[in-house]
Amino acid sequence: MRTERGNVKTENGATKTEIFIVDLPQDLTQSSNPLQGTLTSRCAVPNGTNQYRITNTTNGISGFRHWLRSNKKGTIVYFLCEDKNNVTQLHCVDIQSKKVTQLSFHSSSIHSPININQTDTAIVYFVDNKIVIFNLLNNEMEVVFKNEKKLQLSGIPHFDLYKPIVYFNAYVNNSNSNENFLQIFKLEI
């Protein structure tokens, strides 16, 4: 099983992006058409491949580039989507029920992709140029890095696999050359 994004057309003809599940067969070598494609056809999909849509949001999931994340069981997919005020928020969809739930309610947009920790209990992201951890057990968020030095956060924050640490990138100004350099930071949480 894989989760993928796909574009669909609305009744008005507009394009929006939704989340799809692709169930792959055990044997990926069998197809009615050449898997590698031909000079005049695209690559074929393996026989037994099944694709179905699991979200049907009003305006589609966020156009902000981010990766879909899921819990280890593969039952919930986490993603970014704009709310009714056009603020990018953390959402999830239950794969079985296809119920979409808005998890965060920030006043300004999340401005990084998201990452989930190894225990499926927290998601980390940037909002308001701060680092936020969203607790999936109690649906509460905590600002873990207030960014008092006003660093320009960049990239994707990551949880350490074994320790309570978040790694992140930020630009640091070199006062001698007045250039910004991208640096890696380690934040114990």
Side-chain angles (χ1 to χ4, degrees):
M1 176 174 72
R2 290 182 55 103
T3 15
E4 299 287 342
R5 297 182 218 213
N7 289 338
V8 296
K9 293 286 186 183
T10 65
E11 291 178 9
N12 300 337
T15 301
K16 69 176 184 171
T17 304
E18 295 292 353
I19 300 174
F20 291 80
I21 296 289
V22 180
D23 290 326
L24 299 171
Q26 289 292 89
D27 184 359
L28 298 174
T29 64
Q30 302 301 311
S31 179
S32 303
N33 296 306
L35 285 170
Q36 71 278 12
T38 68
L39 289 175
T40 59
S41 67
R42 293 180 181 216
C43 299
V45 296
N47 291 340
T49 300
N50 185 27
Q51 173 184 303
Y52 54 96
R53 182 171 163 179
I54 61 169
T55 59
N56 190 7
T57 60
T58 304
N59 297 311
I61 69 170
S62 182
F64 177 80
R65 185 172 179 204
H66 70 286
W67 291 268
L68 305 174
R69 299 292 188 203
S70 72
N71 62 0
K72 284 186 183 42
K73 292 180 183 176
T75 57
I76 298 173
V77 176
Y78 299 95
F79 61 98
L80 299 177
C81 188
E82 282 69 35
D83 64 14
K84 63 183 178 183
N85 298 313
N86 205 32
V87 175
T88 305
Q89 304 285 0
L90 176 63
H91 288 70
C92 70
V93 59
D94 180 286
I95 289 177
Q96 289 297 323
S97 69
K98 300 180 184 176
K99 180 182 180 212
V100 173
T101 305
Q102 181 176 336
L103 298 174
S104 69
F105 295 87
H106 299 290
S107 58
S108 60
S109 289
I110 294 172
H111 59 89
S112 73
I114 59 175
N115 261 317
I116 190 166
N117 68 357
Q118 288 290 38
T119 57
D120 291 341
T121 58
I123 291 180
V124 64
Y125 52 85
F126 302 153
V127 69
D128 286 328
N129 210 30
K130 298 176 178 102
I131 300 176
V132 170
I133 292 181
F134 187 89
N135 184 319
L136 294 167
L137 300 177
N138 61 16
N139 288 340
E140 293 181 1
M141 63 130 216
E142 177 185 4
V143 175
V144 293
F145 181 71
K146 294 183 180 177
N147 199 4
E148 291 158 354
K149 293 185 179 181
K150 303 294 182 213
L151 298 172
Q152 181 187 345
L153 301 179
S154 180
I156 310 165
H158 289 275
F159 286 103
D160 188 280
L161 294 178
Y162 308 105
K163 299 175 185 168
I165 295 172
V166 169
Y167 298 98
F168 65 97
N169 295 105
Y171 285 96
V172 176
N173 184 268
N174 179 332
S175 58
N176 294 333
S177 65
N178 204 25
E179 292 181 84
N180 288 329
F181 293 96
L182 189 61
Q183 302 291 314
I184 300 171
F185 290 83
K186 174 180 165 182
L187 176 66
E188 293 186 16
I189 51 174

